[in-house]
């Protein structure tokens, strides 16, 4: 299945206290066809609400325009006060690439949004980040300098002519900044201290530091200190512009270090809006290594990150509602229909009067079960007092077997999909075009089971060591696992061989056949060794 392109929009509105206005903006977004509202995060002290929604590019632009209309009608900037810097009712509206869209696509979204809002509402719109080509007005802080109160005079300066809309000041609305950027994490570290102390830490860690001569320690970090009345504590409030360079856990550790030097307590942290799963897994891996932990399950890694960063200190952090990957994940019954079936259903469809799923899908399933039984044998040894001395070995062996098991599951559907592509290739019109399409489809139908063989074969080195050290109460489980793995590899090999007969590319044939035969031979020798080790153990 081809997944739809996805853009994220994260508009920030200058209203965080009036629930009816907050709800009205939410409704405008939710009622826009093609838009999915993922998160609404209001703040009373900041008097600001951050919305997060996704959709295809055109739908997301429609949703942002609809929300801007509501803000124009209901928010009065002449009455607005709050801790957060701002210059307009819809203060900033970034578009972020999520899936199958380019940064250029998001720049086009920002420009289309800016043009439509300026034309309809007659308000000034400024472009920033990737959508801006002017160095003096590329960053949000540059454009927002002077904030709402200084915007009237700013608009008189030719250097600050809006990218869209009039140069006249609209008191009730102010102005909007829109653009395209990569995923930004709005991240706050809680400090049991004063606003001034939190700001002092912000100056230490943010990239800009105190001045050009005295920069801060962390790249791609913007920050300031403020006091949040509803939390009754100060925060180092930051934007992490590139979490792959400076992830939340590094920011948390650096802020904590500075807080300790000031004899201040850190009371967890807060993510405003949504966060990529990758950022939390990076944090988990950091603490796993730092504390010599052994955790490979994704859900437990996420839980560890939430705990160590104190992400539930201000409000409950629900991974299903706060991690964007989980929010936009398509139902696996659509993307992996076979792998998502019940065991009974899969066996019944396997035995039905259809050519697919067939042996290739079954081979991938059997191989995945083999790797899974290997991982299970490791778990039946790990963490038990009787085998405590073997814990370091099990920590080494379980992760690659668990990974192979998970990597093999998608091959169940991939094999059937590849067969269906072969069928479709035969319907291509034109002799030469059909010939090329069929050759390409058959090559893919070969590469899929060959991939099954490669992943499954990677397990043998770990299974051999596992056979030497595992809890012998699980001997039969490991034997079944190894036999399943061997059967999966053999079945995938048969699929490779039968499809090779349809290929005309002799170089491809020779290369694939050699590799497949070598894997099969290695598998047959490996299972003999594993079974021999298990049968000869005396314990």
């Amino acid at each position: 299945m081809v997944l739809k392109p996805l853009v994220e929009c994260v508009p920030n509105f200058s209203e965080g206290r009036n629930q009816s206005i907050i709800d009205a903006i939410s409704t405008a977004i939710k009622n826009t066809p093609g838009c999915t509202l993922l998160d609404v995060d209001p703040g009373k002290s900041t008097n600001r609400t951050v919305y997060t929604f996704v959709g295809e590019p055109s739908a997301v632009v429609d949703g942002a325009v609809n929300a801007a209309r509501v803000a124009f009608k209901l928010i009065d900037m002449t009455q607005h006060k709050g801790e957060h810097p701002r210059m307009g009712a819809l203060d900033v509206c970034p578009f972020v690439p999520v899936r199958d869209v380019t940064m250029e696509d998001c720049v086009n979204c920002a420009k289309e949004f800016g043009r439509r809002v300026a034309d309809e509402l007659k308000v000034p719109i400024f472009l920033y980040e990737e959508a801006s080509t002017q160095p003096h007005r590329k960053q949000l802080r540059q454009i927002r300098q002077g904030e709402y109160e200084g915007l009237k005079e700013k608009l008189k300066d030719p250097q600050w002519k809006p990218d869209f809309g009039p140069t006249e000041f609209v008191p009730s609305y102010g102005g909007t900044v829109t653009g395209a950027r990569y995923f930004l994490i709005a991240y706050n570290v809680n400090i049991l201290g004063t606003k001034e102390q939190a700001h002092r830490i912000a100056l230490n860690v943010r990239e800009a530091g105190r001045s050009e001569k005295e920069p801060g320690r962390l790249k791609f970090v913007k920050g300031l200190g403020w006091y949040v009345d509803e939390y009754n504590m100060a925060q180092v409030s930051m934007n992490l512009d590139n979490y792959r360079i400076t992830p939340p856990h590094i920011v948390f550790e650096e802020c904590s270090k500075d807080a300790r030097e000031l004899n201040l307590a850190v009371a967890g942290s807060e993510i405003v809006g949504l966060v990529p799963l990758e950022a939390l897994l990076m944090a988990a891996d950091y603490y796993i290594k730092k504390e010599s932990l052994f955790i490979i399950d994704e859900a437990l890694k996420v839980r560890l990150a939430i705990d160590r960063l104190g992400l539930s200190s201000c409000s409950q952090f629900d991974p299903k509602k706060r991690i964007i990957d989980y929010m936009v994940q398509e139902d696996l019954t659509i993307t992996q229909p076979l792998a998502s079936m019940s065991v009974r259903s899969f066996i019944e469809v396997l035995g039905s009067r259809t050519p697919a799923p067939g042996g290739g899908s079954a081979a991938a399933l059997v191989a995945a079960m083999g790797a899974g039984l290997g991982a299970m044998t490791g778990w039946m040894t790990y963490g038990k007092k009787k085998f405590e001395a073997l814990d370091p070995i099990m920590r080494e062996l379980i992760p690659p077997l668990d990974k192979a098991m998970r990597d093999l599951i998608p091959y169940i559907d991939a094999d059937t999909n590849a067969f269906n592509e072969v069928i479709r290739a035969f319907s291509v019109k034109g002799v030469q075009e059909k010939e090329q399409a069929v050759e390409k489809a058959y090559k893919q139908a070969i590469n899929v089971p060959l991939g099954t063989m490669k992943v499954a074969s990677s397990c043998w080195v770990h299974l051999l060591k596992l056979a030497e050290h595992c809890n012998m109460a699980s001997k039969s489980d490991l034997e079944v696992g190894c036999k399943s793995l061997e059967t999966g590899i053999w079945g995938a090999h048969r699929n490779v061989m039968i499809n090779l007969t349809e290929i005309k590319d002799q170089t491809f044939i020779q290369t694939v056949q050699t590799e497949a035969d070598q894997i099969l031979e290695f598998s047959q020798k490996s299972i003999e060794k594993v079974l021999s080790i298990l049968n000869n153990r005396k314990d």
Side-chain angles (χ1 to χ4, degrees):
M1 177 185 175
V2 178
L3 301 179
K4 294 179 180 179
L6 211 60
V7 172
E8 179 194 48
C9 185
V10 195
N12 290 223
F13 293 85
S14 296
E15 177 56 69
R17 298 167 186 169
N18 188 320
Q19 193 61 46
S20 65
I21 296 177
I22 295 170
D23 291 343
I25 294 171
S26 296
T27 300
I29 296 170
K30 286 191 288 188
N31 288 347
T32 303
C35 287
T36 302
L37 182 61
L38 301 179
D39 187 63
V40 180
D41 199 335
K44 291 183 179 179
S45 292
T46 57
N47 199 9
R48 185 181 185 85
T49 299
V50 179
Y51 297 78
T52 304
F53 65 99
V54 295
E56 293 188 72
S58 60
V60 165
V61 172
D62 289 341
V65 172
N66 291 339
R69 288 193 190 106
V70 176
F72 181 82
K73 180 180 178 181
L74 299 181
I75 296 176
D76 183 359
M77 287 302 295
T78 64
Q79 305 299 314
H80 184 272
K81 294 187 183 302
E83 287 284 335
H84 201 288
R86 78 284 183 270
M87 63 181 282
L90 197 181
D91 186 54
V92 58
C93 186
F95 295 86
V96 182
V98 175
R99 182 182 62 218
D100 293 337
V101 290
T102 64
M103 183 56 71
E104 184 179 357
D105 293 328
C106 290
V107 167
N108 291 335
C109 285
K111 290 179 178 179
E112 176 66 9
F113 165 78
R115 181 191 62 76
R116 287 175 58 183
V117 171
D119 289 349
E120 180 179 335
L121 304 180
K122 310 302 181 187
V123 294
I125 306 291
F126 299 87
L127 296 175
Y128 84 121
E129 290 289 353
E130 299 297 322
S132 174
T133 58
Q134 303 181 66
H136 74 285
R137 48 194 280 179
K138 197 169 183 67
Q139 296 183 22
L140 181 58
R141 62 180 176 82
Q142 295 172 316
I143 301 170
R144 202 159 55 189
Q145 188 173 13
E147 297 189 44
Y148 167 79
E149 288 76 10
L151 183 58
K152 184 176 182 179
E153 289 301 314
K154 198 170 194 173
L155 288 169
K156 297 177 182 178
D157 185 343
Q159 280 201 324
W160 288 101
K161 180 183 177 182
D163 292 284
F164 302 98
T167 56
E168 289 78 19
F169 180 58
V170 182
S172 63
Y173 185 91
T176 292
V177 184
T178 186
R181 59 165 172 76
Y182 291 103
F183 204 103
L184 176 150
I185 299 177
Y187 184 59
N188 304 328
V189 176
N190 306 323
I191 304 294
L192 301 186
T194 67
K195 171 183 176 179
E196 290 74 22
Q197 288 170 321
H199 191 63
R200 180 175 172 183
I201 295 173
L203 294 175
N204 292 341
V205 300
R206 71 184 189 185
E207 184 172 16
R210 289 171 169 78
S211 66
E212 289 186 9
K213 294 182 178 180
E214 198 176 356
R217 300 196 300 271
L218 301 180
K219 297 291 184 183
F220 300 105
V221 174
K222 301 181 180 77
L224 50 81
W226 61 31
Y227 199 87
V228 184
D229 292 330
E230 61 261 40
Y231 298 161
N232 192 27
M233 60 185 170
Q235 287 186 324
V236 183
S237 180
M238 293 159 286
N239 283 341
L240 314 186
D241 290 341
N242 189 332
Y243 71 87
R244 291 188 175 94
I245 301 297
T246 307
H249 67 273
I250 294 299
V251 177
F252 182 77
E253 291 296 322
E254 289 297 309
C255 289
S256 298
K257 170 178 167 289
D258 284 14
R260 286 192 296 270
E261 292 175 358
L262 294 172
N263 295 318
L264 298 173
V266 172
S269 62
E270 175 187 37
I271 288 174
V272 180
L274 302 184
V275 62
L277 173 63
E278 181 184 23
L280 294 189
L281 295 181
M282 289 169 70
D285 289 342
Y286 170 83
Y287 290 109
I288 287 169
K289 182 176 180 181
K290 180 180 179 181
E291 302 171 28
S292 298
L293 305 175
F294 183 55
I295 302 172
I296 61 175
D297 181 77
E298 181 177 287
L300 294 181
K301 284 188 173 186
V302 169
R303 185 171 181 176
L304 176 70
I306 293 170
D307 179 80
R308 293 298 185 269
L309 298 176
L311 293 179
S312 291
S313 56
C314 298
S315 61
Q316 188 64 32
F317 186 95
D318 184 347
K320 293 180 180 179
K321 296 179 180 178
R322 303 299 302 280
I323 297 176
I324 190 168
D325 307 64
Y326 296 163
M327 295 289 288
V328 303
Q329 186 179 43
E330 268 72 19
D331 189 339
L332 284 178
T333 60
I334 296 175
T335 58
Q336 294 182 20
L338 296 175
S340 300
M341 284 182 174
S342 68
V343 174
R344 176 184 294 275
S345 297
F346 179 78
I347 292 173
E348 287 175 349
V349 74
L350 195 66
S352 64
R353 191 181 293 186
T354 58
S361 292
L365 173 59
V366 173
M369 291 193 297
L373 281 167
M376 170 202 156
T377 303
W379 284 118
M380 292 299 101
T381 309
Y382 177 76
K384 299 184 183 295
K385 188 171 179 61
K386 181 180 178 181
F387 305 108
E388 192 172 359
L390 296 174
D391 280 0
I393 295 175
M394 295 305 122
R395 285 190 175 206
E396 171 195 337
L397 299 179
I398 295 172
L401 292 170
D402 179 87
K403 183 177 186 302
M405 173 190 71
R406 298 179 190 281
D407 288 348
L408 282 165
I409 292 172
Y411 281 95
I412 299 170
D413 282 278
D415 192 89
T416 295
N417 294 339
F419 175 81
N420 291 335
E421 286 299 317
V422 171
I423 300 301
R424 277 191 284 270
F426 278 103
S427 65
V428 172
K429 295 181 179 179
V431 176
Q432 187 174 356
E433 289 82 358
K434 178 186 289 187
E435 191 175 285
Q436 291 175 346
V438 169
E439 179 89 352
K440 180 180 178 182
Y442 267 117
K443 283 184 176 180
Q444 180 61 13
I446 289 166
N447 285 328
V448 170
L450 184 61
T452 298
M453 294 183 71
K454 290 177 182 178
V455 176
S457 182
S458 70
C459 296
W460 287 120
V461 63
H462 310 296
L463 293 171
L464 283 164
K465 193 168 183 179
L466 189 61
E468 294 174 351
H469 299 285
C470 72
N471 175 2
M472 284 297 280
S474 297
K475 174 185 176 182
S476 62
D477 298 307
L478 185 56
E479 289 173 326
V480 172
C482 291
K483 197 65 181 176
S484 297
L485 195 74
E486 181 208 24
T487 301
I489 291 173
W490 181 86
H493 181 272
R494 298 314 301 154
N495 272 263
V496 169
M497 291 299 114
I498 196 168
N499 286 321
L500 273 180
T501 61
E502 305 294 335
I503 297 295
K504 297 180 178 180
D505 184 341
Q506 292 301 311
T507 301
F508 180 84
I509 293 173
Q510 185 174 355
T511 301
V512 169
Q513 186 164 349
T514 299
E515 184 175 16
D517 287 345
Q518 288 175 345
I519 293 174
L520 181 64
E521 183 181 359
F522 178 68
S523 173
Q524 292 167 341
K525 289 180 179 179
S526 295
I527 191 170
E528 290 177 6
K529 291 179 182 178
V530 170
L531 296 179
S532 176
I533 292 169
L534 290 172
N535 288 330
N536 290 324
R537 279 183 59 178
K538 304 300 182 182
D539 51 341

